[in-house]
Amino acid sequence: MHKIGAYFLVGAACVGLTFAAHAKMTQGEAARLGADLTPTGAERAGNAAGTIPAWDGGLKTPLPGIVPGVSRPDPYPDDKPLFRITAANVEQYRGQLSDGQVAMLKRYADTYYLNVYPTRRSAALPPAIYAAIKEQATKAELADGGNGINDLGQSTVPFPQPKDGQEAIWNHLVRYRGEAIDRRVLQAVVQRDGSFAPVIIRDLISFRPSFAGKPEYDNTLFMDVQKVLAPQRLAGTALLAIDSVNQVTEARQAWVYNAGTRRVLRAPEVAYDNPGTAADGARTTDNYDMYNGAINRYDWKLLGKREVYVPYNANRLDSRGLKYADIIQPAHLNPEHLRYELHRVWVVEATLREGMRHIYAKRVFYLDEDSWSALLIDHYDGRGELWRTSEGHIMEYTEASVPFYAVETLYDLNGERYLAFGMNNEEPYELNFDWRAEEGFYTPSSLRRFAN
């Protein structure tokens, strides 16, 4: 492993290198999966300093005390913060922080800090998913200029050792999030004074593993129905979106049900920087799930790996004992309920292509090496100024072997407001990974029935 500045170059990943062709993973490279590399392509070993441990399989079995839909205990209840990063000592840790984290610490110096805990590499997936990753590792390759994937099969990490930025971001887009999820969550656009109007959304998502082996879904990545439950003025509004693996041959399909007109309409613009559902302009459509959708408006560069303090093991934030008022504060979430750990992340820079339009001219992604989830993303405006920064507070849902976000945040550094999405502390049930859609659920006619 070589170190250049703050970045590590691993395997074939090279800073600033543009590849003319995308070579498939060789059999020799694939043989490393489950050996010196984890089954998802992360480094199994810890770091030289001992501050990142070796991966030992993660949290492989359901935690004792889980009551589905009611409680999910903290797997590390005795962990205490090792230290705290504040505006006063931020420069000491600058090499292990994103630009967005530094900006938040400096802007909200009196109230914002990062409590850093021992690193726990908890990410774990089911054995069958690991087998699918290894099986397809030598087959999957980018198609149509990187806008799709050939021979994805049922892999959720098509490029365990990415050779460029496109391969790395595709790992985030297709990463394992279970077969399906039924969740009822809060979306809050929090104003400067801490006030917010709660928007409650029911989100029903089926991911690629749930329709394995069905030829009619060969080019389908996921299917999602969202319904707004509250406030009353928005209640009944619903969205259906079907995403494709290859978005050149088949673009995202979307329909919207308007409760006022009681009509279902095709919605071709539910993508890119169009406004997110019921978010008052505080997020774009592709800010959902930290980042989603077609990648064709950006040029992607893999910058290598870094060790960064990222949100991780967010079980305390997810606690049913917390109220929304305990978590949501002016300017940012309550830092006492947030947990940060030192993890290795792949860093990917996305720059808007010439002739393309998007409100974000540049994005910098920090992708967790163990789960391939984006944990931090910095968003820059057309002047090159940092505008928004997002965090994905991830945790391992051990009952389903799924690493997934407990909460996503998107902080507006100019408007001094922020969006929080995914909290369900006060909702009647937690995430349900056992839910499965009935045949025909993801259709416009079903959307109308579901919305009413």
Side-chain angles (χ1 to χ4, degrees):
M1 181 183 298
H2 306 284
K3 185 176 181 182
I4 297 180
Y7 291 88
F8 296 84
L9 308 186
V10 183
C14 299
V15 171
L17 185 60
T18 300
F19 287 80
H22 298 276
K24 298 179 183 179
M25 199 174 200
T26 66
Q27 291 289 350
E29 291 170 333
R32 298 177 60 196
L33 299 176
D36 65 306
L37 300 178
T38 74
T40 60
E43 297 170 63
R44 182 182 290 272
N47 65 356
T51 49
I52 297 176
W55 184 77
D56 62 0
L59 292 172
K60 296 183 287 295
T61 57
L63 293 173
I66 285 181
V67 180
V70 178
S71 66
R72 186 178 289 106
D74 185 350
Y76 312 111
D78 298 326
D79 282 2
K80 306 296 182 186
L82 301 173
F83 57 91
R84 176 175 290 181
I85 302 175
T86 69
N89 65 3
V90 64
E91 293 305 323
Q92 178 182 345
Y93 300 101
R94 182 66 181 84
Q96 292 80 42
L97 299 170
S98 71
D99 287 348
Q101 289 175 311
V102 173
M104 289 287 294
L105 287 162
K106 290 184 175 181
R107 175 156 303 198
Y108 304 114
D110 294 335
T111 58
Y112 192 65
Y113 51 86
L114 308 183
N115 280 333
V116 177
Y117 286 78
T119 298
R120 308 289 190 180
R121 295 178 68 180
S122 56
L125 311 182
I129 298 302
Y130 289 147
I133 292 170
K134 191 164 188 173
E135 179 183 353
Q136 294 301 126
T138 59
K139 303 174 184 177
E141 62 180 346
L142 293 178
D144 293 316
N147 294 303
I149 304 175
N150 288 334
D151 292 318
L152 174 61
Q154 294 307 310
S155 177
T156 56
V157 183
F159 310 109
Q161 285 285 281
K163 298 177 175 64
D164 61 21
Q166 287 183 324
E167 291 188 346
I169 199 63
W170 268 111
N171 285 343
H172 165 77
L173 292 172
V174 305
R175 74 196 189 281
Y176 186 68
R177 287 155 286 181
E179 292 189 25
I181 298 176
D182 175 5
R183 59 177 177 169
R184 174 179 164 136
V185 297
L186 170 74
Q187 177 173 272
V189 178
V190 186
Q191 307 302 324
R192 293 185 184 186
D193 61 0
S195 64
F196 66 95
V199 176
I200 307 299
I201 295 174
R202 189 176 180 195
D203 205 8
L204 298 161
I205 318 171
S206 292
F207 299 107
R208 190 172 175 85
S210 71
F211 33 85
K214 297 182 179 180
E216 64 269 33
Y217 296 116
D218 278 351
N219 194 38
T220 303
L221 188 57
F222 69 81
M223 298 181 282
D224 186 9
V225 164
Q226 294 182 352
K227 177 182 177 180
V228 179
L229 305 179
Q232 184 60 40
R233 62 183 176 83
L234 298 175
T237 300
L239 168 69
L240 164 63
I242 301 175
D243 245 26
S244 304
V245 175
N246 189 322
Q247 299 194 24
V248 169
T249 60
E250 186 178 5
R252 170 179 287 171
Q253 303 175 71
W255 294 263
V256 172
Y257 175 79
N258 185 296
T261 63
R262 301 177 65 84
R263 295 178 62 195
V264 174
L265 299 175
R266 189 69 182 264
E269 295 303 317
V270 180
Y272 302 112
D273 57 354
N274 287 286
T277 302
D280 193 28
R283 71 170 172 89
T284 61
T285 296
D286 62 10
N287 280 138
Y288 172 76
D289 197 35
M290 293 292 281
Y291 179 76
N292 75 90
I295 69 171
N296 63 316
R297 293 193 180 182
Y298 289 95
D299 290 318
W300 301 84
K301 181 186 292 186
L302 185 63
L303 300 182
K305 272 190 178 179
R306 282 179 59 187
E307 295 178 359
V308 177
Y309 294 111
V310 292
Y312 224 94
N313 291 309
N315 296 71
R316 296 183 186 184
L317 178 61
D318 186 60
S319 170
R320 305 294 283 180
L322 289 177
K323 302 295 185 183
Y324 297 141
D326 299 325
I327 302 170
I328 296 173
Q329 294 185 341
H332 50 74
L333 296 185
N334 184 343
E336 274 304 291
H337 301 309
L338 310 183
R339 175 177 178 135
Y340 294 84
E341 301 177 3
L342 188 67
H343 285 259
R344 286 184 294 246
V345 295
W346 292 95
V347 185
V348 178
E349 181 181 86
T351 305
L352 193 63
R353 287 181 176 173
E354 185 175 353
M356 291 291 186
R357 183 194 62 79
H358 200 291
I359 63 172
Y360 304 136
K362 186 178 80 169
R363 289 161 143 159
V364 179
F365 295 75
Y366 297 80
L367 308 177
D368 174 33
E369 70 165 346
D370 288 328
S371 69
W372 286 103
S373 302
L375 301 180
L376 304 169
I377 308 177
D378 290 337
H379 307 74
Y380 296 81
D381 63 20
R383 301 168 298 172
E385 300 293 328
L386 182 61
W387 175 11
R388 291 173 172 169
T389 185
S390 54
E391 295 189 328
H393 294 266
I394 198 172
M395 57 182 279
E396 178 72 16
Y397 291 83
T398 59
E399 70 271 30
S401 295
V402 174
F404 196 58
Y405 305 125
V407 180
E408 301 172 51
T409 56
L410 182 62
Y411 295 105
D412 186 335
L413 296 166
N414 295 334
E416 296 190 342
R417 66 173 185 166
Y418 68 97
L419 179 140
F421 179 87
M423 284 183 283
N424 65 356
N425 309 70
E426 296 183 44
E427 300 311 305
Y429 62 91
E430 291 193 333
L431 274 67
N432 178 7
F433 291 94
D434 292 329
W435 174 83
R436 296 294 181 270
E438 296 180 357
E439 191 67 31
F441 177 73
Y442 295 103
T443 61
S445 58
S446 178
L447 181 67
R448 182 191 302 275
R449 292 192 298 271
F450 177 70
N452 288 316

